[in-house]
Amino acid sequence: DEDATAGDRGEVSDFDPDSVLNEDDPLARKLELADEFRQIGDVDGARDLLQEVIDSADGALKSKAQAMLASLS
């Protein structure tokens, strides 16, 4: 099951939190949490967090959140 989970993560999203921002940034943490929510099947929770990031962030973080949100639709 662990192998399937790892494969699922790569297929659905190319999210790499280290490539976006410092993990101490609260918005970057929300982006990480959104990806974790998506992985466990909580798509609505992921959408809510991603929308918060989009509303508050700019630059690469906002672009990544927008791409992740689009991939959930």
Side-chain angles (χ1 to χ4, degrees):
D1 288 336
E2 288 180 30
D3 292 338
T5 303
D8 290 345
R9 272 186 250 139
E11 292 171 15
V12 175
S13 171
D14 292 331
F15 177 67
D16 178 9
D18 295 331
S19 71
V20 179
L21 276 184
N22 183 338
E23 65 186 35
D24 293 331
D25 182 329
L27 292 174
R29 183 65 187 132
K30 283 186 180 186
L31 195 64
E32 292 174 15
L33 286 172
D35 189 53
E36 291 173 17
F37 277 32
R38 180 201 51 80
Q39 290 176 34
I40 63 169
D42 185 355
V43 177
D44 290 334
R47 280 191 184 109
D48 290 343
L49 285 170
L50 290 169
Q51 193 58 56
E52 287 180 37
V53 173
I54 290 166
D55 292 343
S56 302
D58 56 15
L61 188 60
K62 184 173 186 170
S63 296
K64 190 63 170 180
Q66 289 169 325
M68 287 177 66
L69 184 60
S71 75
L72 294 177
S73 301

